[in-house]
Amino acid sequence: MRQKKILAVVTNQATYGASEHRTGLWLAELVHFYDKAVKAGHTVDVVSPAGGEVPLDPRSLGRLFVDRTVRGYLDDPAFMTALKATSSVADADPDDYSTIFFTGGHGTMWDFPDSVDLQGTAEAIYAHGGIVSSVCHGACALINLRDTDGNPLVRNRTVTGFATVEERLAGVKGRVPFLLEDELRAKGAKYVRSTVPMTPHAVRDGRLITGQNPVSTKAVSDLILAALAEAE
């Protein structure tokens, strides 16, 4: 049996809504996962809701957040060129994938929740026994996902994502269109977060795996890879 691939989804949204304030993909949330998955022998395809260029959140490129792994990918011309011409999630065949992983960055708050193509792909992967996973604001994609019975996928499930207190600490609580923590709870999720904001926290509830914030990417990646190993 062929080994199925992993689908990593990134945002196309470059600003906080119609404002001039820039956002986009939080780069480490993609590359820390991508690096671990590829080194574990998996193939990862990177797609976006609309296809095309992926904007990078300027803050994610600050010295505080660019470690050796991130620097390695920033210095990889092929990888960075690929982020300027991603395929659309609509072009991905769900049957080819064992896992869908939603990366974060505030841009996802605008183009993840209501993407019909994104929802259809994620729901099909999950319905076929695959893993649905996210880190940080990538959990925005989970808000409107439904199970095969038509119920919210997160209902009565333990999940995490960027916390309201973290939006406040990041200084952007007034710019976001909604509070992710509140939206997940409104869908019936059992939302959990770390006691100390901006520290690693990841949770697994069956085939639903989530990480709280950028520094949780490695932890959520390990949970995903462990779940994939169990399924082999």
Side-chain angles (χ1 to χ4, degrees):
M1 183 182 295
R2 66 186 174 88
Q3 184 182 37
K4 291 191 174 184
K5 300 182 288 184
I6 296 173
L7 195 63
V9 188
V10 295
T11 186
N12 297 115
Q13 179 71 24
T15 60
Y16 285 81
S19 78
E20 76 281 5
H21 297 291
R22 294 173 59 197
T23 182
L25 165 69
W26 196 272
L27 185 59
E29 294 176 17
L30 172 63
V31 302
H32 282 156
F33 171 77
Y34 186 96
D35 191 68
K36 275 181 170 283
V38 169
K39 286 178 178 175
H42 298 279
T43 299
V44 181
D45 291 341
V46 181
V47 299
S48 58
E53 186 167 3
V54 177
L56 303 182
D57 189 306
R59 291 211 278 188
S60 76
L61 305 179
R63 187 164 33 174
L64 210 60
F65 307 108
V66 176
D67 61 12
R68 182 177 298 179
T69 302
V70 175
R71 174 53 58 194
Y73 282 90
L74 279 169
D75 291 340
D76 181 341
F79 185 84
M80 297 307 296
T81 297
L83 288 184
K84 294 182 179 180
T86 59
S87 297
S88 167
V89 68
D91 296 327
D93 182 349
D95 288 341
D96 290 339
Y97 299 95
S98 65
T99 304
I100 188 166
F101 174 67
F102 296 107
T103 64
H106 280 89
T108 63
M109 303 189 84
W110 281 268
D111 63 354
F112 275 18
D114 298 316
S115 170
V116 174
D117 292 326
L118 185 154
Q119 290 164 16
T121 301
E123 289 170 356
I125 289 171
Y126 195 80
H128 296 156
I131 295 167
V132 170
S133 56
S134 66
V135 68
C136 199
H137 288 92
C140 292
L142 309 182
I143 293 170
N144 291 320
L145 295 187
R146 295 193 173 271
D147 62 21
T148 53
D149 294 322
N151 299 312
L153 186 65
V154 298
R155 180 182 290 179
N156 297 322
R157 309 291 295 279
T158 301
V159 300
T160 190
F162 206 61
T164 299
V165 65
E166 291 172 326
E167 298 284 15
R168 189 177 298 115
L169 290 171
V172 296
K173 187 170 179 283
R175 295 181 192 165
V176 297
F178 56 86
L179 296 173
L180 178 56
E181 178 179 334
D182 290 351
E183 289 296 315
L184 290 169
R185 286 200 171 106
K187 295 294 183 177
K190 300 174 182 177
Y191 176 86
V192 295
R193 60 179 173 83
S194 57
T195 304
V196 180
M198 303 296 190
T199 57
H201 185 64
V203 295
R204 177 182 175 186
D205 189 328
R207 291 182 289 112
L208 185 58
I209 303 173
T210 52
Q212 182 176 326
N213 47 39
V215 296
S216 302
T217 307
K218 293 178 181 179
V220 76
S221 300
D222 288 341
L223 290 179
I224 294 166
L225 294 175
L228 286 170
E230 289 173 11
E232 290 179 356

